[in-house]
Amino acid sequence: EAGDMILLDNNFASIIQAIETGRLLSDNLKKVAVYLLPGGSWAQIWPLFFSLWFGMPLALSAFLAIVFCMLNDVFLSLAMVTESPERDIMSRPPAIRSKDHLLNWKLLLHAYVFVGTIECFTGFFCFWYYWSDHKVPLTSFMFTYEKFGVDPKTPYSLAQLTEMKYVAQSVYYCSVCLFQVFNYFATRTRYTSITEHNPFWGKGRNLYAFGAILISIIIQIIVTQVFWFNQVFHTAPVPVKYVLPTLGFGALWLLIDELRKWFVRNYPDGLTAKIACSHTINYGVGINDEMAR
């Protein structure tokens, strides 16, 4: 009861392993937060705000928001917990308890302002792409509120517009789900390049991620394609072409985050490293050096 640490195997080397495990747990919890916050809150609250402020149709229904949070995001976040440590994990200086918090302004800035903004823009882009492709321009539903489809008029009846709204909401949902896959691959390392810590082979391999992605895809197919869900929860089949822009925006985010990691690795004292949601790289005195002394 008096000790802060108890060695069960009478081996001081176990202290290093215990510290590495503790740091890995802390890292993965932070990664889960970075992964969940953009899609689970940011990409869901803005459709509501846009509907209230700009009088446009709701881009994401309550049912699809619940499915996204309770099913799609859960499996990939569980895969994130099983990630292996990055190679710098034992090169960092010891954490200061009073300053090193699970959530800090850097993490929230990264999750909301950077990832969340791009993810929201991607979802709305696909949402508006669907309407525009059906000859319903942005000006036809902005600031219309309850007069949508009446003033100004559109080529469709109110019943047709209602059905189209269900499709557009399903497009937004699928787009955000797809972007979260790119967010996962960007977030699984906070400073190491994805090429050095790839999920396919080596120390960074994580096959659980691909199972989680497959489950998320199956959930999307069931929710949007099964007739019972269409009738009861007002979902609709999604034409693939309206979700395809997400691939471009997701790849762009992967590239941006790779550039961020490159700057953090090569300029640890630079501005990018100071505001980045990652640990400062320190190849000086680490835990292994302290234990050797």
Side-chain angles (χ1 to χ4, degrees):
E1 293 180 356
D4 293 325
M5 181 183 296
I6 301 174
L7 298 179
L8 299 179
D9 58 1
N10 197 30
N11 184 0
F12 283 107
S14 299
I15 298 177
I16 298 177
Q17 185 177 1
I19 292 174
E20 181 178 3
T21 302
R23 290 187 172 191
L24 175 62
L25 177 61
S26 176
D27 279 2
N28 286 349
L29 285 175
K30 291 179 180 179
K31 292 174 183 177
V32 168
V34 173
Y35 170 78
L36 289 176
L37 290 176
S41 59
W42 206 242
Q44 297 192 16
I45 195 65
W46 283 108
L48 178 61
F49 285 157
F50 274 41
S51 180
L52 293 174
W53 295 343
F54 304 120
M56 57 178 286
L58 189 63
L60 184 68
S61 68
F63 170 72
L64 291 176
I66 292 172
V67 171
F68 179 83
C69 285
M70 301 299 293
L71 294 176
N72 295 100
D73 251 7
V74 168
F75 293 100
L76 272 173
S77 63
L78 290 175
M80 186 76 77
V81 176
T82 64
E83 288 292 340
S84 56
E86 299 181 52
R87 60 185 176 88
D88 80 314
I89 194 168
M90 298 300 288
S91 300
R92 307 169 192 162
I96 301 175
R97 289 186 179 183
S98 60
K99 296 182 179 180
D100 188 23
H101 303 291
L102 180 62
L103 296 179
N104 53 43
W105 71 269
K106 293 182 180 180
L107 187 146
L108 296 176
L109 178 72
H110 181 88
Y112 286 134
V113 176
F114 297 123
V115 188
T117 300
I118 296 178
E119 186 165 339
C120 283
F121 177 83
T122 302
F124 276 113
F125 182 91
C126 295
F127 178 79
W128 289 327
Y129 174 35
Y130 170 78
W131 285 112
S132 178
D133 195 49
H134 286 78
K135 311 303 180 184
V136 182
L138 188 63
T139 55
S140 295
F141 56 76
M142 293 294 287
F143 301 104
T144 55
Y145 295 96
E146 72 279 359
K147 296 181 180 180
F148 175 57
V150 178
D151 184 23
K153 290 185 177 296
T154 65
Y156 305 96
S157 66
L158 292 179
Q160 289 175 314
L161 287 174
T162 300
E163 293 297 325
M164 292 170 66
K165 182 181 71 173
Y166 299 155
V167 178
Q169 290 176 340
S170 299
V171 167
Y172 184 96
Y173 160 74
C174 291
S175 174
V176 173
C177 288
L178 179 56
F179 192 94
Q180 280 292 81
V181 174
F182 289 94
N183 183 26
Y184 172 84
F185 287 114
T187 304
R188 63 188 298 271
T189 61
R190 300 313 310 135
Y191 101 93
T192 305
S193 172
I194 191 174
T195 58
E196 298 177 6
H197 195 84
N198 72 82
F200 300 100
W201 63 81
K203 294 183 178 180
R205 185 175 68 171
N206 187 356
L207 299 182
Y208 292 110
F210 301 100
I213 293 171
L214 179 61
I215 293 174
S216 178
I217 293 173
I218 293 173
I219 292 171
Q220 293 175 61
I221 293 174
I222 292 174
V223 169
T224 60
Q225 300 293 329
V226 175
F227 181 76
W228 183 82
F229 283 96
N230 298 157
Q231 292 297 308
V232 176
F233 296 106
H234 302 309
T235 61
V238 176
V240 176
K241 74 171 187 176
Y242 298 117
V243 185
L244 287 180
T246 309
L247 296 176
F249 288 112
L252 175 63
W253 170 244
L254 267 180
L255 177 61
I256 292 173
D257 202 56
E258 281 294 302
L259 288 174
R260 177 194 65 81
K261 295 170 186 176
W262 185 85
F263 276 105
V264 170
R265 293 194 304 269
N266 291 276
Y267 303 98
D269 297 323
L271 178 63
T272 304
K274 292 180 180 179
I275 66 173
C277 175
S278 57
H279 298 280
T280 301
I281 303 170
N282 189 327
Y283 290 106
V285 178
I287 292 296
N288 290 322
D289 300 307
E290 290 291 340
M291 291 299 298
R293 292 178 183 178

